[in-house]
Amino acid sequence: AGLSYTSTDGDTINFTDNSGQSLVLNSYDTVIGFAGGTLARTIAAESGKAATTTFLTANYYQDFGDDPSSIFYDGRGGSQNITSSNIGGFGEIGIGLNYFADVSGKMGGVQRLNAAIRADVRSGDNVSDAYALTAQFRLSF
């Protein structure tokens, strides 16, 4: 569980087409609370020099911060206030596999081999469904 606080300073974007249009991005704060947990199981090889870990993780995030806002100036004296919703609440579920092996003396100067793969899914009210697949391979000398 945790809490993240970010303060974002605003600024002005002036359009370069000499129309006088600009967009003023107002400052805002983001406050995100999160909670989660992981279930994992590690199986060690009989040699004691390798292990495989499978895991399932779940997290929930909630944005308690401001709704970002801005003002669009049309260059002719008119303006329009624009407000976007903050990210709201969303969940994340991941599943993965990690592998570790002590390979000293078997692969030249390589001492350890680590490999991992995981898949994640995120979904929420203001978050489009998102999917991720991550793979990693690392050799330590």
Side-chain angles (χ1 to χ4, degrees):
L3 187 71
S4 170
Y5 170 79
T6 304
S7 180
T8 303
D9 291 335
D11 207 347
T12 300
I13 299 171
N14 294 308
F15 295 86
T16 59
D17 61 1
N18 295 322
S19 65
Q21 295 176 337
S22 63
L23 182 65
V24 177
L25 304 170
N26 297 320
S27 299
Y28 66 97
D29 296 329
T30 303
V31 180
I32 297 179
F34 56 93
T38 300
L39 295 173
R41 181 172 183 201
T42 301
I43 299 172
E46 285 186 29
S47 67
K49 294 190 173 205
T52 302
T53 301
T54 54
F55 66 89
L56 175 65
T57 186
N59 299 294
Y60 181 76
Y61 303 87
Q62 179 66 49
D63 188 345
F64 300 101
D66 302 335
D67 286 338
S69 65
S70 56
I71 305 168
F72 174 73
Y73 293 96
D74 66 11
R76 297 182 307 263
S79 64
Q80 181 177 0
N81 291 322
I82 302 168
T83 301
S84 303
S85 297
N86 71 22
I87 201 164
F90 71 95
E92 170 185 58
I93 296 174
I95 188 169
L97 174 76
N98 297 325
Y99 176 76
F100 162 84
D102 177 350
V103 293
S104 350
K106 295 181 182 176
M107 298 176 65
V110 177
Q111 300 294 311
R112 283 183 297 273
L113 176 144
N114 293 81
I117 188 164
R118 72 177 288 159
D120 295 289
V121 176
R122 292 169 200 89
S123 184
D125 294 335
N126 295 328
V127 175
S128 298
D129 291 351
Y131 309 94
L133 180 63
T134 307
Q136 164 184 305
F137 184 81
R138 180 173 53 215
L139 300 175
S140 300
F141 296 88

